[in-house]
């Protein structure tokens, strides 16, 4: 019997007050995991706790900046004391700055790298000793199709996500002997509040050009929903994936497999 149950497991999902992180954490909770999450300020944490409560989930929320190693170490220690040792880590916290590279400041580039790449390094580093001690653990890094592809205005994001893909493979290589699996989850274009402006109907009633572009590039002919990520996340967090390590599972409706339609 394949075991997808997460009963008795403690799952830390970073930046999970809303959006993709919230959907994944909710799915892990439905599979039995105890959810802990962080966000950058108390307002977001409070909103997250309220959203989980409304969904019937008893989640513990903490304020923590994933780029601050002292804060992260204190967070993991507090979780171990109040909830239990972390069994599952989902490195979800991230940002994107859409700026043409020749106009992007080095400070903006560094900020994206710091949150999207250094953050997962810092949080993974903090939970690894506990996982090594227990002899098991699951780390899931939220990568992106930008781990594989380039696109205009996202140089920092693509660089960070490409680096995160390789960090994923290296954690798998270095800690596989401790029965720790580290894999990536690569969402395609997902319907979230952040992408809503890209799907707005135009004044003349037509689709937004980017909306039409994405649908044409996706064999599934639609945007993904946050819920589309839940099954893959539960798989990577459960014993069902105990021999899957260093893999990036792209949940993109087939975009990366598709060269696109021939122009008419």
């Amino acid at each position: 019997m394949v075991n997808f149950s997460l009963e008795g497991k403690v799952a830390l999902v970073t930046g999970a007050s809303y959006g993709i992180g919230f959907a994944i954490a909710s799915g892990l909770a439905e599979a039995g995991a105890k959810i802990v999450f962080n966000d950058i300020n108390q307002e977001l944490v409070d909103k997250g706790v309220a959203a989980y409560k409304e969904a019937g989930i008893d989640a513990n929320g903490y304020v923590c900046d994933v780029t601050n190693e002292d804060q992260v170490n204190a967070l993991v220690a507090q979780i171990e004391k109040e909830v239990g040792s972390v069994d599952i880590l989902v490195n979800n916290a991230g940002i994107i700055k859409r700026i043409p590279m020749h106009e992007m400041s080095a400070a903006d580039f560094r900020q994206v790298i710091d949150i999207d790449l250094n953050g997962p390094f810092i949080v993974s580093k903090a939970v690894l000793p506990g996982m090594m001690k227990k002899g098991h653990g699951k780390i899931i890094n939220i990568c992106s199709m930008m781990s594989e592809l380039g696109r205009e205005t996202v140089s920092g994001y693509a660089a960070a996500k490409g680096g995160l893909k390789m960090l994923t493979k290296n954690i798998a290589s270095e800690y596989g002997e401790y029965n720790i699996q580290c894999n990536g989850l690569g969402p395609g274009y997902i319907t979230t509040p952040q992408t809503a402006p890209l799907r707005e109907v135009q004044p003349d009633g037509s689709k937004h050009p980017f909306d039409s572009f994405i649908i044409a590039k996706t064999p599934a002919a639609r945007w993904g929903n946050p819920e589309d990520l839940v099954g893959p996340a539960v798989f990577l967090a459960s014993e069902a994936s105990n021999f899957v390590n260093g893999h990036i599972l792209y949940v993109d409706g087939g975009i990366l497999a598709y060269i696109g339609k021939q122009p008419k």
Side-chain angles (χ1 to χ4, degrees):
M1 181 74 178
V2 177
N3 187 6
F4 291 98
S5 172
L6 302 180
E7 287 292 337
K9 304 295 186 184
V10 175
L12 167 59
V13 186
T14 66
S17 296
Y18 62 94
I20 287 173
F22 179 83
I24 288 174
S26 299
L28 299 182
E30 190 176 343
K34 176 68 176 176
I35 300 301
V36 293
F37 73 97
N38 78 292
D39 223 311
I40 193 67
N41 60 50
Q42 191 64 54
E43 182 183 4
L44 283 172
V45 169
D46 290 344
K47 285 182 178 179
V49 169
Y52 285 109
K53 186 175 182 180
E54 187 177 345
I57 298 167
D58 182 21
N60 292 63
Y62 302 88
V63 176
C64 179
D65 178 353
V66 296
T67 69
N68 185 312
E69 191 166 11
D70 290 338
Q71 286 187 26
V72 169
N73 289 337
L75 169 68
V76 171
Q78 189 174 1
I79 292 169
E80 289 179 352
K81 181 180 179 181
E82 296 179 357
V83 185
S85 182
V86 175
D87 300 287
I88 301 157
L89 167 63
V90 182
N91 281 311
N92 168 75
I95 63 167
I96 186 169
K97 288 179 179 282
R98 295 183 176 91
I99 305 169
M101 182 174 163
H102 69 281
E103 297 175 3
M104 190 175 200
S105 69
D108 279 337
F109 185 88
R110 288 192 190 102
Q111 185 186 19
V112 176
I113 297 293
D114 204 20
I115 296 171
D116 293 4
L117 181 55
N118 289 338
F121 165 79
I122 290 168
V123 185
S124 297
K125 178 185 172 186
V127 303
L128 276 166
M131 291 179 174
M132 293 163 69
K133 185 176 180 180
K134 288 188 296 186
H136 68 83
K138 302 282 185 176
I139 297 175
I140 302 170
N141 292 324
I142 303 302
C143 296
S144 164
M145 290 188 303
M146 297 301 109
S147 299
E148 302 288 343
L149 299 173
R151 198 171 106 67
E152 299 86 347
T153 76
V154 293
S155 57
Y157 186 77
K161 293 300 185 179
L164 186 57
K165 175 182 72 172
M166 291 312 301
L167 178 63
T168 300
K169 292 176 180 289
N170 204 81
I171 293 172
S173 302
E174 196 164 353
Y175 297 98
E177 65 182 290
Y178 297 96
N179 191 31
I180 296 169
Q181 291 83 48
C182 181
N183 293 288
L185 193 60
Y189 284 91
I190 307 295
T191 56
T192 65
Q194 290 91 331
T195 61
L198 301 174
R199 287 175 280 107
E200 286 182 350
V201 176
Q202 301 301 284
D204 65 359
S206 64
K207 286 181 175 289
H208 189 291
F210 193 81
D211 188 4
S212 299
F213 167 70
I214 290 303
I215 290 173
K217 287 290 292 180
T218 307
R222 67 174 178 88
W223 287 63
N225 299 310
E227 293 72 27
D228 288 319
L229 299 163
V230 170
V234 170
F235 166 65
L236 292 178
S238 73
E239 292 182 7
S241 62
N242 278 355
F243 206 57
V244 179
N245 212 0
H247 177 74
I248 314 298
L249 175 52
Y250 291 103
V251 185
D252 65 354
I255 290 178
L256 286 172
Y258 187 41
I259 196 171
K261 293 180 181 179
Q262 179 179 330
K264 294 180 180 179

